[in-house]
Amino acid sequence: QKEVEQNSGPLSVPEGAIASLNCTYSDRGSQSFFWYRQYSGKSPELIMFIYSNGDKEDGRFTAQLNKASQYVSLLIRDSQPSDSATYLCAVTGSGGSNYKLTFGKGTLLTVNP
Amino acid sequence: NAGVTQTPKFQVLKTGQSMTLQCAQDMNHNSMYWYRQDPGMGLRLIYYSASEGTTDKGEVPNGYNVSRLNKREFSLRLESAAPSQTSVYFCAGAGGGGYEQYFGPGTRLTVT
């Protein structure tokens, strides 16, 4: 059973701080990694994807991937109250299952003004 | 572009009734997916279609059927609804070079 694990939270940070969200995965053959943001009552929205080891930055968001440790993280700099949401980590399967995503259960982030 | 659309947005069914959830995309996605999301369970894959003309079971297919009508449309049918199928259902599409999936707005289904 392929698994994606996330700390369920809630993770609470003050406005302007860095929020760090973490995810581990069990399938060593996974090649593509995604972060989705889901506001309460809404659908998941893709915010970042990363395929290679290292960091990928997009505005206030940085995704970090370490395939050897089977670990992916999302950093949100200068956190804003509008960043308060559940963040879902998703990982592709390996081999013929690379078009299917396995999702973690999500981490609830609260940014306090 | 509308992206991925789903109808209806809300539905209440009685146990034993049937219904079809509709999904359409205008993003030229090859692959389409149906998920359900329940509190504490996360997103679980019900069925998927890797390409037009193919469908396969996901993690929780029991009680559901799907049809990939054409490249744009992928429907999910509940033949005899049960209270355990009360959930939020999301359709997603992917393709065009990457594996990232884009979600529709969801259907909130209650079975009494």
Side-chain angles (χ1 to χ4, degrees):
Chain A
Q1 179 81 7
K2 300 180 177 62
E3 293 183 348
V4 177
E5 300 285 344
Q6 296 181 251
N7 190 327
S8 62
L11 174 65
S12 184
V13 300
E15 184 174 355
I18 296 175
S20 178
L21 303 158
N22 305 314
C23 172
T24 59
Y25 59 95
S26 63
D27 186 350
R28 190 168 283 280
S30 296
Q31 296 294 323
S32 305
F33 307 86
F34 306 89
W35 283 100
Y36 287 82
R37 177 176 62 199
Q38 187 174 24
Y39 293 113
S40 180
K42 301 294 185 183
S43 59
E45 173 193 8
L46 179 68
I47 55 172
M48 287 286 287
F49 59 87
I50 186 167
Y51 301 144
S52 304
N53 276 329
D55 294 1
K56 179 182 178 182
E57 187 174 317
D58 183 1
R60 296 187 296 111
F61 298 99
T62 300
Q64 298 175 317
L65 175 61
N66 183 328
K67 289 185 180 179
S69 300
Q70 296 176 240
Y71 176 92
V72 59
S73 65
L74 179 72
L75 301 179
I76 306 175
R77 289 183 300 282
D78 188 23
S79 295
Q80 302 296 309
S82 59
D83 295 326
S84 298
T86 297
Y87 289 81
L88 305 173
C89 173
V91 175
T92 55
S94 54
S97 297
N98 55 5
Y99 46 84
K100 288 196 290 183
L101 296 182
T102 299
F103 285 83
K105 293 181 180 178
T107 298
L108 177 62
L109 172 66
T110 301
V111 181
N112 301 304
Chain B
N1 286 353
V4 180
T5 58
Q6 293 182 236
T7 54
K9 286 188 169 51
F10 301 93
Q11 184 71 50
V12 178
L13 290 179
K14 289 184 165 50
T15 297
Q17 288 184 318
S18 63
M19 78 160 296
T20 300
L21 281 65
Q22 306 285 356
C23 175
Q25 53 93 4
D26 62 3
M27 301 174 74
N28 202 32
H29 290 150
N30 292 321
S31 303
M32 297 185 74
Y33 307 81
W34 276 105
Y35 294 89
R36 60 178 290 173
Q37 188 174 39
D38 304 289
M41 301 297 291
L43 277 163
R44 293 182 292 170
L45 183 65
I46 305 171
Y47 270 93
Y48 64 99
S49 171
S51 61
E52 187 179 355
T54 68
T55 60
D56 283 288
K57 296 177 180 178
E59 183 185 351
V60 288
N62 291 347
Y64 306 95
N65 283 300
V66 290
S67 295
R68 182 76 183 266
L69 303 170
N70 47 56
K71 187 170 185 178
R72 290 187 62 249
E73 298 172 287
F74 189 39
S75 62
L76 178 72
R77 182 160 179 84
L78 287 70
E79 291 291 351
S80 179
S84 61
Q85 294 178 305
T86 293
S87 188
V88 181
Y89 292 85
F90 291 107
C91 177
Y99 299 110
E100 58 269 24
Q101 294 182 17
Y102 296 90
F103 285 79
T107 294
R108 190 171 295 273
L109 176 67
T110 302
V111 183
T112 61

